[in-house]
Amino acid sequence: MLNAKLALATNSEHQTVVKLSPAVAFGGRELVIIGGPCTVESQWQMETVATRLKAAPLQALRGGVYKPRTSPYSFQGLGIEGVEILSQVRSHYQIPVVTEVMSIAQIESIATSVDMLQVGSRNMQNFDLLKALGKVKKPVLLKRGLAATIEEFVMAAEYILSHGNSQVVLCERGIRSFDNYTRNVLDLGAVAALKQLTHLPVIVDPSHAVGKRELVTPLAKAAVAAGADGLIIECHPEPEKSVSDARQALSLEDMVKLVDSLRPLAAVVGREIVGSPNISHLAIAPR
Ligand code: PEP
Ligand code: MN
């Protein structure tokens, strides 16, 4: 494929494992499930998510603090205040956190406070950003561009790898097509292809792919069946009140149910979800 050198699988045995913490790694037998709101809105919101979902169990939390919004008039994220919320939740709940970085200037302040840097779809071919992330010693979650070919996606990963960072996880999040009933079209063929073509872990974001909460669970299951190494899913303590992507946000109860429903399926495809649900953790933090 084109002139990718570092991203391609040279033999079927070699699989890169990307560690988020001593206990959480992408690319092994375990499925990594990341959950949380589209946008970090408040300390209460993130603590509620962590309290309810660490026990689900989720392996990592997500939440955007710099948001790539279609309209410049929409809420753009809490910025550095949001980074502080993520950092507190991460240390208090001992759970890894993932957030999006939109520009080179944001890397330094975010990288020390989180466990994984997300490159959003709209930045998949921001080559200067990719080069800069190649120099960072943090795992990168690279999301597929809205209309990127598989080849362009692999070459974007190659930018990060060739600038020195081998800790890259690919994320299929749906691509644009003619139908607008769903927000995008989840390309599970790409998941299977990327697993064969590259040695990098591949995860799936069914939330942005489908855009409707009632369709997230079936697509999450399909992703696991297709060989995904993990999932990233949007959920919120009060889904209808989400400042962004409300229509696709699961309630925390539905997120717990989703994780549970994946267990038997994971076992069928030789994977597992580490940890058993711990209901003693289910008390919600006061607002
Ligand atoms: C997100 O994860 O909230 C996001 C903006 O995703 P994407 O870049 O895939 O649209
Ligand atoms: Mn979102």
Side-chain angles (χ1 to χ4, degrees), residues 262-276:
L262 290 174
R263 283 176 200 284
L265 184 60
V268 168
V269 292
R271 314 298 287 254
E272 66 178 316
I273 299 168
V274 175
S276 49

Side-chain angles (χ1 to χ4, degrees), residues 38 62 67-68 100 118 120-122 143 173 205 208 234 245:
C38 182
R62 62 150 288 148
K67 295 302 299 176
E100 176 165 353
Q118 175 176 325
S121 278
R122 291 152 192 82
K143 298 188 89 176
R173 47 77 74 204
D205 174 346
H208 290 87
E234 287 186 348
D245 290 348

Side-chain angles (χ1 to χ4, degrees), residues 188-210:
L188 286 179
V191 176
L194 291 164
K195 289 293 296 176
Q196 285 180 15
L197 263 172
T198 80
H199 52 82
L200 300 171
V202 180
I203 70 166
V204 167
D205 174 346
S207 306
H208 290 87
V210 79

Side-chain angles (χ1 to χ4, degrees), residues 36-50 61-67 69 74-87 89 98-99 213 234-250 252 287:
C38 182
T39 300
V40 173
E41 297 164 21
S42 68
Q43 180 97 24
W44 173 83
Q45 173 213 35
M46 290 309 294
E47 284 189 3
T48 305
V49 173
L61 295 185
R62 62 150 288 148
V65 297
Y66 294 106
K67 295 302 299 176
R69 305 303 300 279
S74 301
F75 181 56
Q76 304 284 308
L78 285 178
I80 207 71
E81 190 191 333
V83 177
E84 276 156 26
I85 293 174
L86 285 176
S87 166
V89 168
V98 183
T99 200
R213 66 174 67 84
E234 287 186 348
C235 55
H236 193 287
E238 299 167 309
E240 308 75 25
K241 293 191 186 161
S242 303
V243 299
S244 56
D245 290 348
R247 182 66 185 85
Q248 68 200 31
L250 294 183
L252 303 186
R287 192 163 202 162

